[in-house]
Amino acid sequence: MLKSLLGGAPAEDLIQYAADSPVMDLDTFTTLNPEEIKKLSPQNLKDLLDVNLSELNTIMEHPTIQAWVQSHTQSEVNAIGLKAKAGHPDPPPNGSFVLTSAPPISRAEGAFMKEHTLQISYTILLALCGVMISLGAS
C-alpha cells in the first residue's frame, strides 16, 4: 500500500521510513526520486533495503543507483558493497595533499616550450661561463 506513496517521498521521509526496519524490494527502490536518493547516507540505504542491499550490484546501471553513486565518495560506495566508481574521490587524510597530473600539451605548445627551454639553457650556460671567467680573473 505504501509503494505508490514512496515514489515521490523526500529524503527525510525515506530516512524516517528506513528507521522502522522495512525490507524494500528493488522494484520499489528504483521508483524513488533519484534526487532524493542522492541525499541518503550509506546507513540509510542499508536500513531501507536490508537484505536486498547486495542486489543493487545487479542493477548498477539504473538511474536511481547511478544518482546515488555519483553523489557519494568511494569509501561510501564501498561501505555498502557496491562495485562502482563513485562520483567523488575520498578526501585526503589530514595534513596531506593530492598531486594531480597536468593535462597533455599540444604539439604547438610542446614546440614552443622546447624552443624556450633551449633559450633559457643557453642563457644559463652563458651566465655560468661569465661567472667562471670572472672567478678565474680574480
Side-chain angles (χ1 to χ4, degrees), residues 24 89 116 119:
M24 184 179 284
H116 283 77
Q119 289 175 354

Side-chain angles (χ1 to χ4, degrees), residues 28-103:
T28 303
F29 181 76
T30 57
T31 65
L32 299 176
N33 182 345
E35 290 303 312
E36 296 301 316
I37 292 298
K38 290 195 286 190
K39 300 173 187 175
L40 300 179
S41 72
Q43 187 60 51
N44 296 147
L45 285 184
K46 285 180 183 180
D47 294 343
L48 197 59
L49 293 166
D50 194 65
V51 296
N52 293 326
L53 183 67
S54 62
E55 297 300 313
L56 288 179
N57 282 309
T58 64
I59 59 167
M60 191 55 63
E61 298 304 316
H62 193 279
T64 303
I65 311 303
Q66 283 300 307
W68 190 86
V69 167
Q70 292 305 308
S71 65
H72 287 79
T73 64
Q74 193 63 56
S75 59
E76 290 173 316
V77 170
N78 294 347
I80 60 170
L82 292 182
K83 295 169 178 52
K85 183 171 178 359
H88 302 284
D90 287 319
N94 288 341
S96 63
F97 56 93
V98 176
L99 297 176
T100 58
S101 60

